[in-house]
Amino acid sequence: MAVSDPHGCYDEYNSLLKKAKYNPSQDKLILLGDYVDRGQKSRQMVEQVMLLHNEWGVVALKGNHDDMFVSAINNDTEELDAQWLNNGGFQTVESYCGISFFEEGFEWNQYIKAKEFIREHYQHHIDFLGQLPLYYEDMSHIYVHAGINPFHKDWKNTSDSEFIWIREPFFTNKTGLDKTVVFGHTPCIYLHDSEDIWFSPDEDKIGIDGACAYGLQLNALEIKEDGTYGEYFVRRGTINE
């Protein structure tokens, strides 16, 4: 089973696993990244991912938002800070430091204090996210956050940046591979005018980002033993169904 881009939508994520009847002792769960930013519970989301990874061997891949978070916290570079904050980092800061942290408005020195607080109390989260792999491969599928570079003879030569950022060059071109690429990052609504899971007409890609953080839904792709697929989703705001 594959899930991507929960973006701090912790309650919807747990509702989705419940709806899909996920059993960690029996099912293989592959998470395609972007655990933080935009949603309200990034800290809880990262803790959950770490727990599932450490106790059940859940595969957790790195997304571009996870990378921006790590880069901003580990470095004191205004460019990296601005990139992260402009892409949903404010909600992540509030998740880690308290919802009232910026109650009097954004102030740069306050943000620097927030970074110091996260480093002091949650460096293990940063270290975990920083070391996550960029792809996972099994007998029939390749799993990645954003996609692969389809113009490389060997897809594994895709750059680190492309694995977590690529869009049109990947999903508008055939991969030429004998394995199906499962990816997130680009919301399905942009792929086929629906938030439901997108199955490429070329049958070489499956996009699963339902854009929950933007008010739509969180998707799960079930890959069955007979090679067929099952689909599950919860809408934004759906809790414990």
Side-chain angles (χ1 to χ4, degrees):
M1 182 180 299
V3 178
S4 189
D5 296 82
H7 281 294
C9 296
Y10 172 80
D11 297 318
E12 290 85 353
Y13 169 80
N14 282 290
S15 293
L16 179 63
L17 295 187
K18 183 177 179 181
K19 187 174 186 179
K21 295 182 171 60
Y22 167 65
N23 183 339
S25 65
Q26 299 178 356
D27 303 322
K28 183 76 171 182
L29 180 61
I30 302 168
L31 304 175
L32 306 188
D34 277 8
Y35 312 109
V36 301
D37 298 344
R38 298 200 171 104
Q40 299 303 311
K41 296 185 177 181
S42 291
R43 177 181 59 79
Q44 295 93 323
M45 190 70 234
V46 174
E47 287 177 349
Q48 176 97 333
V49 172
M50 291 176 64
L51 179 68
L52 289 170
H53 174 76
N54 293 333
E55 293 196 3
W56 297 104
V58 165
V59 175
L61 303 181
K62 184 190 292 185
N64 60 310
H65 281 263
D66 311 313
D67 186 64
M68 284 189 287
F69 178 33
V70 170
S71 296
I73 298 301
N74 279 343
N75 298 278
D76 291 315
T77 306
E78 288 191 15
E79 181 181 358
L80 295 174
D81 291 326
Q83 182 188 35
W84 179 48
L85 291 173
N86 289 332
N87 283 280
F90 283 102
Q91 289 85 354
T92 301
V93 170
E94 290 179 335
S95 175
Y96 276 88
C97 300
I99 195 67
S100 62
F101 197 78
F102 291 124
E103 64 180 352
E104 297 181 2
F106 179 79
E107 206 279 324
W108 191 257
N109 288 336
Q110 186 76 342
Y111 168 66
I112 297 302
K113 291 179 181 178
K115 289 178 62 172
E116 292 172 352
F117 177 86
I118 294 171
R119 288 170 182 159
E120 180 179 355
H121 298 280
Y122 295 100
Q123 188 62 45
H124 58 300
H125 284 204
I126 304 303
D127 293 342
F128 173 77
L129 294 174
Q131 57 80 43
L132 292 179
L134 298 174
Y135 64 84
Y136 177 76
E137 183 179 15
D138 60 22
M139 296 297 292
S140 56
H141 294 79
I142 296 165
Y143 306 86
V144 64
H145 177 66
I148 63 169
N149 187 325
F151 302 112
H152 284 306
K153 185 175 182 180
D154 183 350
W155 66 268
K156 292 182 180 179
N157 290 329
T158 297
S159 69
D160 290 2
S161 177
E162 288 171 324
F163 275 126
I164 60 177
W165 282 101
I166 198 169
R167 292 195 191 274
E168 284 83 358
F170 163 63
F171 61 73
T172 59
N173 291 281
K174 294 182 180 181
T175 66
L177 302 174
D178 58 1
K179 294 184 179 183
T180 303
V181 181
V182 181
F183 69 101
H185 185 56
T186 298
C188 297
I189 195 77
Y190 297 122
L191 298 171
H192 65 157
D193 296 322
S194 170
E195 55 265 48
D196 295 334
I197 291 173
W198 174 71
F199 294 86
S200 168
D202 296 322
E203 299 183 349
D204 61 345
K205 312 175 195 74
I206 304 174
I208 67 172
D209 179 8
C212 185
Y214 290 101
L216 298 180
Q217 68 188 36
L218 190 64
N219 294 322
L221 175 72
E222 180 185 13
I223 302 170
K224 302 179 181 180
E225 292 184 0
D226 63 0
T228 60
Y229 300 102
E231 301 178 53
Y232 303 91
F233 71 90
V234 296
R235 302 291 299 183
R236 178 71 182 266
T238 302
I239 309 299
N240 296 327
E241 289 191 2

